[in-house]
Amino acid sequence: AQKVTQAQTEISVVEKEDVTLDCVYETRDTTYYLFWYKQPPSGELVFLIRRNSFDEQNEISGRYSWNFQKSTSSFNFTITASQVVDSAVYFCALSDPRGNNDMRFGAGTRLTVKP
Amino acid sequence: NAGVTQTPKFQVLKTGQSMTLQCAQDMNHEYMSWYRQDPGMGLRLIHYSVGAGITDQGEVPNGYNVSRSTTEDFPLRLLSAAPSQTSVYFCASGEGLLEQFFGPGTRLTVL
């Protein structure tokens, strides 16, 4: 069965600190996709990134970066020089689009960035 | 484009009442889905559809029905609401699971 674990329930940092959100996944599939979504206080879900299981290259987008390591089944998300606007709940998710079209989300990590 | 729209935004029901949560998208996506979000549990898939006339169950389908008569609409029905169905419900659409666009959510309280 597919499972996503985000062990950090809440993280609090001061503005300009770097912060890493952990995501560990379990799947028996060889082809799968990993995602990160952001849910700001307004409640909507914002897509951040998708990564397929065959692409282990790290990705950087501005202050955001993602580290995918199949050896440890992890897909961690780092925010560099955090800002107050980064305060949100962040979800990691896993899917196998060739299978049952199911997507499994982690429980989420609430990030609070204090000024 | 309006994207994915959901109505109502808020709803309070009494135990045993029925209601339909509406979801519509104007992006011509074949794939649509319903999730519920509960504290500490992330989002869980209720039902999904890969096209008009095709629906299937997700992780937590009990107590919910869906239908997909058009590409645009994917309503979620609660036939007999229970307090355990108090949650925030999100509808999503996309080109399969690879990029889902989520609606703004419906906050449902069942007393």
Side-chain angles (χ1 to χ4, degrees):
Chain A
Q2 297 180 322
K3 183 180 177 182
V4 176
T5 301
Q6 294 180 256
Q8 304 151 308
T9 305
E10 294 191 28
I11 300 175
S12 181
V13 299
V14 177
E15 207 169 20
K16 298 184 182 175
E17 284 185 25
D18 299 346
V19 58
T20 295
L21 309 182
D22 297 333
C23 173
V24 175
Y25 63 93
E26 297 175 28
T27 180
R28 285 177 286 189
D29 299 311
T30 55
T31 301
Y32 53 89
Y33 288 81
L34 294 161
F35 304 78
W36 277 94
Y37 284 87
K38 174 182 180 180
Q39 187 176 44
S42 52
E44 75 273 22
L45 282 152
V46 178
F47 168 82
L48 294 178
I49 191 172
R50 176 184 72 240
R51 173 66 74 221
N52 76 56
S53 53
F54 297 108
D55 182 1
E56 286 193 72
Q57 278 193 326
N58 291 336
E59 174 113 3
I60 298 175
S61 176
R63 296 184 297 105
Y64 294 173
S65 62
W66 291 269
N67 181 270
F68 176 29
Q69 291 195 341
K70 286 178 75 171
S71 60
T72 56
S73 297
S74 64
F75 186 43
N76 296 337
F77 173 31
T78 297
I79 301 174
T80 303
S82 59
Q83 299 177 1
V84 172
V85 293
D86 295 326
S87 296
V89 180
Y90 291 87
F91 293 98
C92 180
L94 166 71
S95 75
D96 168 22
R98 297 183 311 163
N100 60 1
N101 282 296
D102 197 355
M103 177 178 269
R104 297 298 171 106
F105 282 77
T109 296
R110 180 178 299 278
L111 173 66
T112 302
V113 181
K114 298 178 181 177
Chain B
N1 284 351
V4 179
T5 58
Q6 290 183 238
T7 55
K9 283 186 169 30
F10 301 95
Q11 183 70 49
V12 179
L13 292 177
K14 294 181 180 178
T15 297
Q17 286 185 315
S18 63
M19 80 157 296
T20 299
L21 306 185
Q22 301 291 345
C23 174
Q25 53 97 3
D26 60 0
M27 297 174 281
N28 203 34
H29 289 151
E30 293 294 331
Y31 184 87
M32 295 187 74
S33 54
W34 276 102
Y35 294 85
R36 59 177 290 172
Q37 181 179 16
D38 302 295
M41 301 188 73
L43 280 79
R44 291 181 292 167
L45 182 65
I46 304 171
H47 285 285
Y48 65 92
S49 168
V50 297
I54 306 170
T55 64
D56 208 342
Q57 297 179 349
E59 185 183 357
V60 288
N62 292 343
Y64 307 95
N65 282 350
V66 291
S67 60
R68 185 93 180 272
S69 56
T70 67
T71 299
E72 294 77 22
D73 301 299
F74 190 43
L76 178 72
R77 296 184 186 84
L78 285 71
L79 297 178
S80 180
S84 61
Q85 293 178 304
T86 294
S87 188
V88 180
Y89 291 85
F90 287 97
C91 177
S93 76
E95 297 297 335
L97 284 171
L98 297 188
E99 187 172 2
Q100 291 193 86
F101 296 87
F102 284 83
T106 294
R107 186 174 294 274
L108 176 68
T109 301
V110 182
L111 302 175

